[in-house]
Amino acid sequence: RFSRLSRHMSTLTSASPMPTDAPASFAPPKSATAINPNDAQRLADFLRPGGVLCITGAGISTESGIPDYRGPNGSYSKGHVPMQHMEFMTQEEKRKRYWARSLIGYRYFYSRKPNTAHFDLAALQKAHFVRGLITQNVDTLHTQAGSSSVIDLHGANDTVACQSCGATEKRNKYQSNVESLNSEWVSANLAASKSQVESRDIRADGDAHLSQDDFRLFQVPACTECGGVMMPTVVFFGGSIPKATKDLARSFISDASRLLVLGSSCEVGSIFHLIKGSLKSGNKQGHELAIVNMGPTRLERDIPALVHGHLKIEAGCSDSLRAACDLLGVTSQ
């Protein structure tokens, strides 16, 4: 159940007027993410018996330059209102806005690379301290870093699928089609001038804020097989995780010796209820849970009795995993 084929990312098309430069990191400053020696030792001791399942959130990818939702530099702090599933499916104007914004947002999102936390997790897995991963992120950076047995709980942003016939297409190819179909609109609205680059606002999960608000002339390619609506293979807010994915995630949690939450506040119901269900059923005890996160989590706020005895470390994911790897004698690239 812990086997999974590696995902191979296709190459970006070389020619594009879309700028991809942006802040190198949305992570807190290093002075705020450092882990103290006692916490590093406790994390290493937690990992040492092996069989650990890691549950990761947006906080693990901020050092790759991908903003989170709830952090100080996150999307919500900038007034970001995520696209809802039913909005995308039923409102053509919202779909046009989504794909127009993606011409900047996704180009940047796709250019991001794994950071040291992703590589250290892959190394811990190869050394048999980590058994598998459940990630709430849609960036596929764990797979790119070499991790296996990864469940992308909320899907992956590198593919689009028809909502009628199920036909799929690599997102890079689809994005190129969007760009080609709207070359005049792009020239008129998204010229890669200095002022445009400075004014853009990268958001979570391949989105970006645009000053433009008129998308009437923007065109969205339909499914080439049946003419249906094409949508990224991610779980939008208000959407549902496939039952097979949830069942597999429950089995990962049940089979693991302990759980390590990394860079997640666990506010999203899907992951909160998976962890809560394991604790409530007695499959896991509080002392078999560790959390590495900057700030409080929903687990500690809403179910304090169930997580009693857990290990909590207020530090950055990269700092924490690197320190634990050093103590465990694990090296990564």
Side-chain angles (χ1 to χ4, degrees), residues 3 8 69 168 176 257 300 319:
S3 63
H8 297 286
Y69 282 96
T168 62
S176 295
S257 64
E300 297 154 300
D319 298 74

Side-chain angles (χ1 to χ4, degrees), residues 257-275:
S257 64
R258 47 189 62 192
L259 309 177
L260 172 58
V261 175
L262 292 161
S264 175
S265 63
C266 297
E267 288 289 343
V268 176
S270 55
I271 199 64
F272 172 78
H273 290 294
L274 280 170
I275 298 172

